[in-house]
Amino acid sequence: HAKCKFTATDIFDGTKCEMIESSTHNVSVPNVTRTEYQLIDITDDDFLNLMDDNSEPKDDIKLPDGTVGDNIRALFDAGEDCSVTILKAIGRELAIDCKKLTT
């Protein structure tokens, strides 16, 4: 049987993943969702207090390390209203972007 080789980059940590599978088998593909939340607060232990469009709170996302986390912190510390983009797949969630809200 012929084989298929899949190479992908993990959307959460950037690691390279490879998989070899028979060409006659099905391969599972993760469903990825992208949701915008308004940033309400950042807790002392660096968790984001977020609110969705239905005014439902979300407070289980940690402020990410690196540039995205620095940008979120800078907008928050400057007193700017901002939205945070959360990527969700395979039971994991991560803040991947933020932008200043315009009124």
Side-chain angles (χ1 to χ4, degrees):
H1 291 278
K3 300 277 185 186
C4 296
K5 180 177 180 180
F6 298 95
T7 304
T9 303
D10 188 302
I11 59 175
F12 295 106
D13 60 20
T15 58
K16 186 176 178 180
C17 306
E18 291 186 3
M19 181 174 100
I20 298 174
E21 192 65 56
S22 173
S23 63
T24 59
H25 291 154
N26 291 332
V27 176
S28 298
V29 177
N31 291 320
V32 179
T33 59
R34 176 188 214 107
T35 309
E36 298 283 331
Y37 293 90
Q38 183 175 356
L39 178 63
I40 305 301
D41 192 16
I42 300 175
T43 66
D44 292 338
D45 52 354
D46 284 340
F47 279 89
L48 304 176
N49 286 339
L50 305 166
M51 188 181 332
D52 69 10
D53 292 338
N54 298 321
S55 298
E56 292 292 324
K58 182 170 188 59
D59 57 6
D60 58 348
I61 304 292
K62 187 104 168 137
L63 182 69
D65 295 328
T67 306
V68 173
D70 293 344
N71 291 344
I72 294 170
R73 172 70 72 185
L75 283 172
F76 178 76
D77 288 347
E80 300 287 351
D81 287 334
C82 64
S83 68
V84 177
T85 304
I86 304 295
L87 209 58
K88 180 178 181 177
I90 59 172
R92 295 173 67 185
E93 294 179 295
L94 179 68
I96 61 158
D97 193 20
C98 70
K99 60 185 167 196
K100 182 177 167 182
L101 293 174
T102 56
T103 55

